[in-house]
Amino acid sequence: MIHISIILINYNSAQDTLECLKSLQKIKATHYKYSIIIVDNASKEPFELPGMFENEPITVLHSQSNKGFTGGNNMAMYYAVEQYNSDYVLLLNNDTIVDEDFLKELL
């Protein structure tokens, strides 16, 4: 089955990230699997995943320093390949609200 890793970079914008995650919870995945990887890019208050997302396919990685957008995405892409052997990687801004069928349409 196809696996897609969705990558979000969080830097001092936890509320945006949470709103994005709420919209990602509504994805209808029928012919593929997906996971969400969040890189907290050394935020002043480290991003922690609230309990409402505990049963979701979400991983939070914490960077010790702000690696910037590129460095954070690279960190997550390495993780996606190592952990999930992802077929596709989607870089998504954390202030994005998605439609439930967006991933199906992209695929």
Side-chain angles (χ1 to χ4, degrees), residues 35-50:
S35 58
I36 301 166
I37 303 167
I38 302 167
V39 175
D40 184 63
N41 226 355
S43 296
K44 290 179 184 177
E45 292 184 29
F47 181 81
E48 298 298 331
L49 198 61

Side-chain angles (χ1 to χ4, degrees), residues 2-32:
I2 292 172
H3 187 273
I4 303 166
S5 287
I6 303 170
I7 297 173
L8 306 174
I9 304 300
N10 180 74
Y11 178 68
N12 297 325
S13 55
Q15 191 58 42
D16 286 340
T17 301
L18 291 174
E19 293 302 317
C20 183
L21 288 175
K22 287 177 189 175
S23 73
L24 289 169
Q25 274 186 310
K26 299 174 185 172
I27 292 175
K28 294 179 180 176
T30 54
H31 296 83
Y32 58 89

Side-chain angles (χ1 to χ4, degrees), residues 36-83:
I36 301 166
I37 303 167
I38 302 167
V39 175
D40 184 63
N41 226 355
S43 296
K44 290 179 184 177
E45 292 184 29
F47 181 81
E48 298 298 331
L49 198 61
M52 67 186 287
F53 298 107
E54 68 184 30
N55 294 321
E56 299 293 326
I58 302 172
T59 301
V60 179
L61 305 176
H62 293 275
S63 175
Q64 298 300 316
S65 62
N66 185 341
K67 298 178 180 292
F69 186 75
T70 304
N73 281 313
N74 284 339
M75 181 178 172
M77 285 188 281
Y78 284 120
Y79 184 87
V81 170
E82 289 178 8
Q83 294 298 312

